Amino acid sequence: MASGNGAEHKKKKGRQNNKNNIRKYRKPLNLNIGMLIFAGIFVYVVVCVIIYFQTGHIVRYEVKKGSLATNNIYRGVVIRDETVVNTTSAGYVNYYANEGERVAAYDLVYIVDETGRLSEELGNANMGENTLSDKELLEFRSELVNFSHGFDGHEFSAVYDFKNSLKGTVQKLANANMLESVDRIGSGSGVANIVSRCYAPQTGVVSYWVDGYEDMTAGEVTEEVFDKKAYEERKTQLLGNELLAAGDAAYKLSTSENWSVVIPIEDAERGAELEEEGYVKVRFLKNQYESWGATKLLNNGDGKHYLQLSFTNSMITFVNDRFLEIELLLNNDTGLKIPNSAIVDKEFYLIPEDYVFPQGDSGKGQVLRQYVMENGEVSSQLYDISLYSYDKNTREYYVDAAILNAGDTLFKENGQDTFVVSRRATLKGVYNVNNGYADFRQINILYQNDEYAIVKANTQYGLNVYDYIALNADSVHDDQFIND
């Protein structure tokens, strides 16, 4: 029994050893042509993807007609010939002339009650009932309509100015009736002895407010002048039946129809263009009135740029305004609209027209350039060039600097006179990609804002509508082939 068990044990041990000696069979790698092709295609695709993401891509932009939406609304300060008239005696001032009314020299403007007894004397007199005439009612109605049309909810302080103006109108109408009553009462009551009549020293339009800007000239306008809060603090409304000391401001006269509006203008180049035009059509937003203003660019002491718009009429319409909202009605011509990112500056050689042989209007031409042969003899040869612009004033062509070199000698057609290439100039342009490569084209910018420019269409060396250009000029170079 013992020997049988030992034999069986040896059999089991042998089976375990056989199990441990078993190895997993691995099939050999069987490469075939299909797998090799697939691997090659996979590697190619990966490389293309990597190159695609590492390479700057040229995006095409289709040129179309358009115009720029520019903000031509400005807030300007009014400059007039204004004379402040001061009182000569102390007392209670009662105005007789209506505000905004033109008075002649020596017309009655206001009366001064030196003792304060005038109201008491008139109260004791029987003056009957006072009613407003149709003309006076029309004056009230006109003030209400003008205020409602020009009211801006963001400028609520205008309500208080209107309130004071309306109050002043009521007071002036009452004073007119009061003056008639003073004349009717007569000198027997002693009223004439307590009232001083004050007359206009010269002809002009009457205003009953002062702000300290009466003597300001257009050249003295600075950024501080447009501070709304500071202006509200300095403006003083002159009301009737108030006590004034001798020498205080009683009213002011605007004496000339020549007046102007000065507006701040950030773009000095635009201001220079407007000055060069001479006149600009202006719309006053207060009443939609339109007029032509003579332009003048100002460089005042604060380093800012201002545009003065001078007028010769309608001063009386805005006599009670120191600031006006205006719109410049400019002739914004329509042209080719292109993004600013497509614009690039490029340098060219300037070649006199006598040394260039253009080939029609194709933008191609030739020059006769000197060269030295192998034997040392000097000769000349025609070279093809591209023409990018022509200056009618200097009679010079702009030639690509990549074709010619500084110091090259050019001959005239007769082979006698010579010209040495040296002078350079810069042109603004874009890269045209119609033909599958980057071709520089000059542009003539008419208007420009932060995003787009309007350029002149159908120029000899420029763009046409529906041309394709590179959207980002930094992503291309001259004669680069466009693959995507």
Side-chain angles (χ1 to χ4, degrees):
M1 297 292 293
S3 59
N5 291 336
E8 185 177 353
H9 177 69
K10 288 180 179 180
K11 289 180 180 179
K12 288 182 178 179
K13 188 174 181 181
R15 287 195 295 267
Q16 289 178 354
N17 290 333
N18 291 335
K19 274 186 180 181
N20 293 335
N21 292 330
I22 294 174
R23 297 288 184 270
K24 186 176 181 182
Y25 176 75
R26 295 183 178 180
K27 293 182 179 180
L29 181 62
N30 186 17
L31 294 175
N32 55 50
I33 189 65
M35 293 183 65
L36 292 175
I37 293 175
F38 176 79
I41 294 174
F42 178 77
V43 172
Y44 174 77
V45 170
V46 171
V47 171
C48 289
V49 170
I50 293 174
I51 294 175
Y52 178 84
F53 284 104
Q54 289 182 346
T55 304
H57 301 285
I58 299 174
V59 180
R60 292 179 174 89
Y61 176 86
E62 185 179 14
V63 178
K64 295 181 179 180
K65 286 187 176 181
S67 60
L68 296 181
T70 56
N71 181 19
N72 293 325
I73 296 178
Y74 298 88
R75 180 172 181 261
V77 59
V78 177
I79 306 295
R80 287 180 291 256
D81 291 335
E82 298 171 311
T83 300
V84 178
V85 180
N86 300 320
T87 59
T88 56
S89 58
Y92 293 90
V93 174
N94 294 279
Y95 296 110
Y96 177 73
N98 293 327
E99 190 167 31
E101 175 185 350
R102 182 178 295 278
V103 295
Y106 309 114
D107 278 357
L108 178 64
V109 178
Y110 68 98
I111 60 175
V112 178
D113 177 8
E114 298 179 3
T115 64
R117 291 173 46 208
L118 180 60
S119 298
E120 180 182 350
E121 294 290 342
L122 294 176
N124 294 331
N126 183 17
M127 295 187 296
E129 295 184 359
N130 293 323
T131 57
L132 295 177
S133 64
D134 292 340
K135 181 180 179 181
E136 293 167 341
L137 289 173
L138 182 61
E139 183 178 350
F140 277 110
R141 188 179 298 111
S142 177
E143 284 198 50
L144 292 170
V145 170
N146 289 337
F147 172 74
S148 62
H149 285 173
F151 177 69
D152 183 359
H154 298 289
E155 301 288 341
F156 193 76
S157 60
V159 175
Y160 297 100
D161 292 337
F162 174 69
K163 174 186 174 183
N164 292 332
S165 176
L166 204 61
K167 183 178 179 181
T169 300
V170 173
Q171 187 68 46
K172 288 188 284 281
L173 293 175
N175 289 341
N177 292 329
M178 179 185 65
L179 191 61
E180 293 178 1
S181 300
V182 170
D183 294 336
R184 188 170 60 251
I185 292 173
S187 59
S189 61
V191 172
N193 297 328
I194 63 174
V195 173
S196 297
R197 303 191 181 209
C198 300
Y199 303 92
Q202 57 183 321
T203 184
V205 180
V206 177
S207 298
Y208 296 115
W209 55 276
V210 292
D211 57 7
Y213 290 156
E214 285 78 16
D215 296 327
M216 182 175 63
T217 64
E220 296 172 341
V221 174
T222 61
E223 194 173 13
E224 296 178 355
V225 171
F226 295 91
D227 189 333
K228 295 182 181 180
K229 185 176 180 180
Y231 180 76
E232 291 174 1
E233 293 176 354
R234 67 183 300 151
K235 182 178 179 180
T236 302
Q237 191 75 34
L238 303 174
L239 301 176
N241 203 27
E242 287 192 348
L243 180 62
L244 296 180
D248 286 349
Y251 66 98
K252 66 180 177 182
L253 288 173
S254 298
T255 57
S256 175
E257 275 293 324
N258 297 322
W259 63 293
S260 62
V261 178
V262 178
I263 61 174
I265 187 162
E266 295 181 359
D267 190 347
E269 292 184 3
R270 189 184 189 195
E273 291 175 359
L274 294 175
E275 182 181 37
E276 187 176 353
E277 290 183 15
Y279 288 86
V280 171
K281 195 173 186 180
V282 175
R283 176 185 291 127
F284 298 93
L285 301 188
K286 178 179 180 180
N287 57 1
Q288 302 302 306
Y289 174 76
E290 296 180 1
S291 182
W292 287 89
T295 56
K296 181 181 180 181
L297 185 63
L298 305 173
N299 298 314
N300 292 349
D302 60 350
K304 305 291 184 179
H305 301 285
Y306 301 90
L307 187 68
Q308 182 181 11
L309 302 166
S310 300
F311 306 92
T312 58
N313 54 45
S314 306
M315 182 277 295
I316 192 172
T317 305
F318 307 104
V319 70
N320 289 323
D321 297 296
R322 178 61 69 192
F323 296 95
L324 288 172
E325 299 284 340
I326 65 172
E327 179 182 5
L328 303 185
L329 303 179
L330 304 177
N331 295 322
N332 289 331
D333 296 333
T334 300
L336 303 181
K337 187 175 183 179
I338 62 174
N340 290 336
S341 61
I343 300 175
V344 65
D345 292 329
K346 184 180 177 182
E347 277 194 336
F348 296 88
Y349 283 120
L350 294 176
I351 309 299
E353 65 176 358
D354 293 338
Y355 296 87
V356 178
F357 319 127
Q359 299 174 350
D361 295 330
S362 63
K364 302 295 182 180
Q366 290 181 322
V367 293
L368 190 60
R369 186 169 68 173
Q370 172 185 293
Y371 79 99
V372 180
M373 295 187 295
E374 293 181 358
N375 59 7
E377 293 183 5
V378 177
S379 183
S380 61
Q381 185 176 357
L382 285 173
Y383 282 85
D384 293 329
I385 58 173
S386 296
L387 306 177
Y388 290 89
S389 183
Y390 176 71
D391 191 328
K392 293 182 179 179
N393 296 324
T394 62
R395 302 177 68 180
E396 294 174 311
Y397 282 98
Y398 286 73
V399 178
D400 195 345
I403 298 177
L404 298 177
N405 297 311
D408 285 349
T409 300
L410 305 181
F411 293 98
K412 284 187 178 181
E413 191 171 8
N414 57 19
Q416 298 283 333
D417 298 330
T418 61
F419 172 79
V420 178
V421 176
S422 61
R423 286 203 311 122
R424 293 189 178 209
T426 302
L427 291 177
K428 285 189 177 296
V430 297
Y431 285 109
N432 185 299
V433 295
N434 287 349
N435 299 321
Y437 63 92
D439 182 20
F440 181 88
R441 298 288 180 87
Q442 181 196 7
I443 59 173
N444 184 1
I445 298 177
L446 300 175
Y447 302 99
Q448 190 172 19
N449 61 18
D450 294 336
E451 297 181 358
Y452 290 93
I454 300 299
V455 304
K456 194 173 182 179
N458 302 321
T459 56
Q460 182 178 1
Y461 301 99
L463 293 175
N464 296 310
V465 66
Y466 305 127
D467 278 349
Y468 282 94
I469 62 175
L471 178 62
N472 188 354
D474 296 334
S475 65
V476 295
H477 55 80
D478 291 308
D479 299 326
Q480 176 181 347
F481 284 99
I482 311 300
N483 297 319
D484 53 339

